[in-house]
mmCIF file of all heavy atoms in Angstrom:
data_model
loop_
_atom_site.group_PDB
_atom_site.id
_atom_site.type_symbol
_atom_site.label_atom_id
_atom_site.label_comp_id
_atom_site.label_asym_id
_atom_site.label_seq_id
_atom_site.Cartn_x
_atom_site.Cartn_y
_atom_site.Cartn_z
ATOM 1 N N GLY A 148 -175.858 -38.160 -49.886
ATOM 2 C CA GLY A 148 -175.549 -36.811 -49.447
ATOM 3 C C GLY A 148 -175.723 -36.619 -47.960
ATOM 4 O O GLY A 148 -176.725 -37.008 -47.386
ATOM 5 N N GLY A 149 -174.736 -36.038 -47.300
ATOM 6 C CA GLY A 149 -174.816 -35.746 -45.874
ATOM 7 C C GLY A 149 -174.369 -36.869 -44.977
ATOM 8 O O GLY A 149 -174.360 -36.723 -43.769
ATOM 9 N N THR A 150 -174.001 -38.059 -45.569
ATOM 10 C CA THR A 150 -173.620 -39.189 -44.718
ATOM 11 C C THR A 150 -172.356 -38.895 -43.944
ATOM 12 O O THR A 150 -172.278 -39.137 -42.743
ATOM 13 C CB THR A 150 -173.419 -40.455 -45.577
ATOM 14 O OG1 THR A 150 -174.635 -40.733 -46.262
ATOM 15 C CG2 THR A 150 -173.040 -41.641 -44.689
ATOM 16 N N PHE A 151 -171.352 -38.386 -44.638
ATOM 17 C CA PHE A 151 -170.089 -38.089 -43.958
ATOM 18 C C PHE A 151 -170.285 -37.008 -42.909
ATOM 19 O O PHE A 151 -169.759 -37.085 -41.817
ATOM 20 C CB PHE A 151 -169.037 -37.654 -44.987
ATOM 21 C CG PHE A 151 -167.702 -37.352 -44.376
ATOM 22 C CD1 PHE A 151 -166.866 -38.384 -43.963
ATOM 23 C CD2 PHE A 151 -167.291 -36.039 -44.184
ATOM 24 C CE1 PHE A 151 -165.643 -38.108 -43.384
ATOM 25 C CE2 PHE A 151 -166.070 -35.769 -43.613
ATOM 26 C CZ PHE A 151 -165.249 -36.809 -43.220
ATOM 27 N N THR A 152 -171.101 -36.030 -43.287
ATOM 28 C CA THR A 152 -171.374 -34.963 -42.324
ATOM 29 C C THR A 152 -172.077 -35.500 -41.098
ATOM 30 O O THR A 152 -171.769 -35.138 -39.965
ATOM 31 C CB THR A 152 -172.238 -33.874 -42.974
ATOM 32 O OG1 THR A 152 -171.575 -33.379 -44.133
ATOM 33 C CG2 THR A 152 -172.489 -32.724 -41.988
ATOM 34 N N SER A 153 -173.048 -36.433 -41.342
ATOM 35 C CA SER A 153 -173.767 -37.023 -40.214
ATOM 36 C C SER A 153 -172.831 -37.823 -39.336
ATOM 37 O O SER A 153 -172.943 -37.824 -38.106
ATOM 38 C CB SER A 153 -174.900 -37.935 -40.723
ATOM 39 O OG SER A 153 -175.820 -37.179 -41.493
ATOM 40 N N PHE A 154 -171.882 -38.538 -39.988
ATOM 41 C CA PHE A 154 -170.928 -39.350 -39.225
ATOM 42 C C PHE A 154 -170.055 -38.477 -38.337
ATOM 43 O O PHE A 154 -169.870 -38.745 -37.156
ATOM 44 C CB PHE A 154 -170.071 -40.153 -40.211
ATOM 45 C CG PHE A 154 -168.984 -40.939 -39.549
ATOM 46 C CD1 PHE A 154 -169.290 -42.067 -38.802
ATOM 47 C CD2 PHE A 154 -167.657 -40.548 -39.659
ATOM 48 C CE1 PHE A 154 -168.289 -42.801 -38.186
ATOM 49 C CE2 PHE A 154 -166.660 -41.269 -39.040
ATOM 50 C CZ PHE A 154 -166.987 -42.398 -38.316
ATOM 51 N N THR A 155 -169.538 -37.395 -38.930
ATOM 52 C CA THR A 155 -168.693 -36.501 -38.136
ATOM 53 C C THR A 155 -169.503 -35.790 -37.070
ATOM 54 O O THR A 155 -169.022 -35.565 -35.965
ATOM 55 C CB THR A 155 -168.000 -35.470 -39.049
ATOM 56 O OG1 THR A 155 -169.000 -34.784 -39.819
ATOM 57 C CG2 THR A 155 -167.013 -36.136 -39.983
ATOM 58 N N ASP A 156 -170.744 -35.446 -37.422
ATOM 59 C CA ASP A 156 -171.606 -34.802 -36.424
ATOM 60 C C ASP A 156 -171.882 -35.748 -35.278
ATOM 61 O O ASP A 156 -171.967 -35.340 -34.115
ATOM 62 C CB ASP A 156 -172.928 -34.364 -37.052
ATOM 63 C CG ASP A 156 -172.748 -33.177 -37.987
ATOM 64 O OD1 ASP A 156 -171.668 -32.554 -37.925
ATOM 65 O OD2 ASP A 156 -173.669 -32.886 -38.769
ATOM 66 N N SER A 157 -172.020 -37.059 -35.593
ATOM 67 C CA SER A 157 -172.278 -38.051 -34.551
ATOM 68 C C SER A 157 -171.102 -38.141 -33.593
ATOM 69 O O SER A 157 -171.269 -38.220 -32.377
ATOM 70 C CB SER A 157 -172.540 -39.419 -35.181
ATOM 71 O OG SER A 157 -172.686 -40.405 -34.195
ATOM 72 N N ILE A 158 -169.889 -38.137 -34.163
ATOM 73 C CA ILE A 158 -168.693 -38.174 -33.316
ATOM 74 C C ILE A 158 -168.642 -36.934 -32.435
ATOM 75 O O ILE A 158 -168.374 -37.012 -31.234
ATOM 76 C CB ILE A 158 -167.429 -38.270 -34.187
ATOM 77 C CG1 ILE A 158 -167.397 -39.619 -34.927
ATOM 78 C CG2 ILE A 158 -166.169 -38.116 -33.334
ATOM 79 C CD1 ILE A 158 -166.240 -39.761 -35.867
ATOM 80 N N ALA A 159 -168.899 -35.791 -33.041
ATOM 81 C CA ALA A 159 -168.861 -34.546 -32.265
ATOM 82 C C ALA A 159 -169.906 -34.561 -31.160
ATOM 83 O O ALA A 159 -169.664 -34.114 -30.048
ATOM 84 C CB ALA A 159 -169.096 -33.348 -33.197
ATOM 85 N N PHE A 160 -171.104 -35.134 -31.474
ATOM 86 C CA PHE A 160 -172.177 -35.206 -30.467
ATOM 87 C C PHE A 160 -171.759 -36.091 -29.306
ATOM 88 O O PHE A 160 -171.979 -35.760 -28.145
ATOM 89 C CB PHE A 160 -173.445 -35.739 -31.116
ATOM 90 C CG PHE A 160 -174.556 -36.003 -30.131
ATOM 91 C CD1 PHE A 160 -175.281 -34.940 -29.599
ATOM 92 C CD2 PHE A 160 -174.844 -37.289 -29.722
ATOM 93 C CE1 PHE A 160 -176.289 -35.178 -28.684
ATOM 94 C CE2 PHE A 160 -175.846 -37.525 -28.813
ATOM 95 C CZ PHE A 160 -176.578 -36.471 -28.297
ATOM 96 N N LYS A 161 -171.137 -37.249 -29.632
ATOM 97 C CA LYS A 161 -170.709 -38.152 -28.573
ATOM 98 C C LYS A 161 -169.651 -37.503 -27.685
ATOM 99 O O LYS A 161 -169.669 -37.643 -26.480
ATOM 100 C CB LYS A 161 -170.166 -39.457 -29.171
ATOM 101 C CG LYS A 161 -171.259 -40.316 -29.802
ATOM 102 C CD LYS A 161 -170.688 -41.587 -30.404
ATOM 103 C CE LYS A 161 -171.782 -42.441 -31.023
ATOM 104 N NZ LYS A 161 -171.241 -43.655 -31.652
#
Side-chain angles (χ1 to χ4, degrees):
T150 301
F151 181 76
T152 303
S153 299
F154 175 72
T155 55
D156 289 346
S157 175
I158 294 176
F160 173 76
K161 290 179 180 178

